Amino acid sequence: METLNIIPYPNYIKRLGADISSDELNVAGSTITITDEIVNPEGYELIIENGRVQISAGGPAGAFYAKETLKQLAADGDSTLPCVEIRDEPAYPYRGFMLDSVRHMTALDDVKKMIDAAAMLKMNVLHWHLTDDQGWRIEIKSHPELVNKGAYRSGSHFGKIHSEERYGGYYTKHELRDIVDYCAKKHIEVIPEIDMPGHMVAAIAAYPEISCRGEQIAVETRQGIFPDILCAGNDKTFEIIFDVLDEVMAIFPSKYIHIGGDEAPKKRWKECPRCQRLIEDLGLNDEEELQGWFVNRVADFLRANGRQAIAWNESLNSGLLGNDILVQMWMDKKKRSVDFANQGGKIIVSPFYHYYTDYPYAMTPLNKTYKFEPVLKGIKDGCVQNVVGVETPIWTEHVRDFKQMCFMIYPRFAAVAETGWTQEYNKDVGDFNRRMALFVPLLEEIGITPANESAWNPNIFKRLAHTIRFFLGITTKDMIKGYD
Ligand code: ACM
Ligand code: ZN
């Protein structure tokens, strides 16, 4: 049967008759009803029949998604609508995209375009990476040096690209709240990330006393992983972090706050008398366990304030992580995330090799992204519901402007959106490519120009050549400096 031109593809469609012309539509006779007969608040039923459109939804989000589906049905240029019954709800409750605004900042008007596109695709989370080694991007009034000093770096040395130009800036609370409001209208939750205890060089440059050595360091200009992290054995660290989180929570009403927990080298903790004393006092075995304790302490603080923590999968290395911390799997070679889900923990799936859109199509073709299924190998049948969803990130070391950003993220974001929404048995990679080609003008209408179709799935020769060229362009010794 001919498929409809909708992304993500609905989960149940029944044809009711011949297409009708838009002129025949009885707009006054059309209805939208919220009903508890539809259990999922994101679920909806859309019936186009006898010249009328009837929408029933489990909640406001479901009604919003029904209208998005209707818009796509009406958008294919021939001014007709198919007569159909669509019953639809998402495969996963969490369908996110992540924006790194540290390495390069995206103008807020462009962030809004990304939100518009995500909403069309029924995504419901913007995970906003706002702090890292190369800059602090969120206004914090209680500790003003975080932006006064931490928001600016003296240059940018990312891979083989070098600039000596000062780079920086930050988003004010007012601007951030404006994005939260914008997203709320489109049923997207903004989850901010304050990455800790690693990836904290910008904060340490502002307040050196929160690091193990207490020495003045500069906001990083290089990409990579760096040894100076937050001192776990210093009360001042938690004082500042909790003040920051208080202000973060006042801006972002999200149920979850992301606290990072990735790529934290343990070199400084091994040398630090305060961290070593704490390990002894707490009866911990090593620095990995200290990280587990650190993340749990911050998660406890969030819990006491009615919020829940998300952490990248490295925080599982300790074996101590609280079960109500949502774990984001991105690079988990030892499959700790699978064990965590099998023991009742919840995970978000963001596999580096499939969902990281800062890597070229040569390495991660559209079809590879599309075909990935989030229920990881090893997850037991009874624990499948612990995979709460998917998220696709864009890191911006090598993404300097919005044109390039759009090329990298679209159509791959759409592939992840469809995986998050459409049941595996309704997915079809060939048909997705067909529908995607028709979806491009809708993205262009909101100011997003995706990669051209010839770039989506390069042949094996191009894949090899472009992947090698990309890695030669980005790799430097700095990338792994100090990581152990
Ligand atoms: C990550 O990519 N460091 C989470
Ligand atoms: Zn320390």
Side-chain angles (χ1 to χ4, degrees), residues 212 231-233 269 272 274-275:
C212 290
C231 180
W269 284 4
C272 172
R274 285 182 300 197
C275 286

Side-chain angles (χ1 to χ4, degrees), residues 82-220:
C83 286
V84 282
E85 175 187 344
I86 295 178
R87 279 191 265 124
D88 205 9
E89 63 176 12
Y92 295 94
Y94 185 111
R95 304 174 304 278
F97 66 102
M98 192 215 84
L99 173 62
D100 167 16
S101 289
V102 171
R103 281 52 179 253
H104 289 97
M105 289 180 79
T106 300
L108 292 173
D109 281 349
D110 290 333
V111 174
K112 286 182 177 171
K113 291 174 196 162
M114 295 173 76
I115 293 163
D116 292 344
M120 274 163 69
L121 291 160
K122 304 183 174 71
M123 290 175 131
N124 62 2
V125 171
L126 159 55
H127 165 187
W128 208 348
H129 188 79
L130 287 166
T131 67
D132 212 304
D133 301 313
Q134 298 82 2
W136 185 278
R137 304 272 174 254
I138 166 171
E139 180 182 35
I140 298 292
K141 297 270 195 210
S142 56
H143 300 284
E145 300 299 354
L146 287 170
V147 291
N148 292 344
K149 284 189 182 160
Y152 300 91
R153 61 178 184 253
S154 63
S156 301
H157 302 285
F158 297 150
K160 301 235 164 23
I161 305 293
H162 297 282
S163 159
E164 302 303 336
E165 217 173 291
R166 187 171 185 259
Y167 183 93
Y170 61 92
Y171 301 115
T172 65
K173 291 186 186 217
H174 178 75
E175 289 169 329
L176 293 166
R177 284 198 179 103
D178 178 50
I179 294 292
V180 169
D181 291 346
Y182 193 82
C183 281
K185 291 190 186 99
K186 292 171 186 272
H187 300 274
I188 291 177
E189 182 165 71
V190 188
I191 300 181
E193 180 181 353
I194 308 297
D195 198 347
M196 63 185 93
H199 287 295
M200 265 284 171
V201 168
I204 293 169
Y207 295 98
E209 63 270 34
I210 59 177
S211 67
C212 290
R213 292 184 168 183
E215 289 169 3
Q216 182 66 60
I217 56 173
V219 177
E220 257 308 331

Side-chain angles (χ1 to χ4, degrees), residues 192-333:
E193 180 181 353
I194 308 297
D195 198 347
M196 63 185 93
H199 287 295
M200 265 284 171
V201 168
I204 293 169
Y207 295 98
E209 63 270 34
I210 59 177
S211 67
C212 290
R213 292 184 168 183
E215 289 169 3
Q216 182 66 60
I217 56 173
V219 177
E220 257 308 331
T221 61
R222 301 164 296 175
Q223 66 186 29
I225 298 164
F226 301 96
D228 285 298
I229 68 173
L230 296 180
C231 180
N234 183 355
D235 286 342
K236 187 76 187 168
T237 301
F238 292 97
E239 210 180 286
I240 293 187
I241 286 302
F242 294 161
D243 286 348
V244 166
L245 290 175
D246 274 335
E247 294 193 40
V248 166
M249 288 186 286
I251 301 168
F252 299 96
S254 55
K255 173 177 174 194
Y256 294 105
I257 305 288
H258 205 305
I259 57 172
D262 59 326
E263 299 178 324
K266 304 297 180 300
K267 191 172 169 28
R268 295 287 186 261
W269 284 4
K270 284 182 184 154
E271 299 161 354
C272 172
R274 285 182 300 197
C275 286
Q276 289 304 312
R277 195 172 331 115
L278 184 61
I279 286 175
E280 218 176 291
D281 291 350
L282 294 169
L284 301 174
N285 286 311
D286 57 18
E287 291 75 21
E288 280 304 340
E289 291 196 359
L290 185 59
Q291 173 156 341
W293 173 86
F294 187 110
V295 171
N296 283 337
R297 181 165 178 195
V298 179
D300 288 347
F301 174 80
L302 291 173
R303 197 179 305 109
N305 284 278
R307 310 296 182 98
Q308 236 174 298
I310 306 181
W312 296 105
N313 64 242
E314 288 96 320
S315 291
L316 286 171
N317 296 356
S318 65
L320 298 178
L321 214 63
N323 239 22
D324 78 327
I325 297 175
L326 187 51
V327 167
Q328 186 165 12
M329 189 291 288
W330 72 283
M331 179 74 108
D332 182 11
K333 290 197 209 104

Side-chain angles (χ1 to χ4, degrees), residues 5 22 68-81 120 438-439 441-442 445:
N5 300 328
S22 312
E68 290 300 315
T69 297
L70 185 59
K71 274 194 228 162
Q72 289 193 38
L73 283 173
D76 65 0
D78 63 359
S79 61
T80 63
L81 277 175
M120 274 163 69
L438 298 171
F439 192 77
L442 302 189
E445 229 169 75

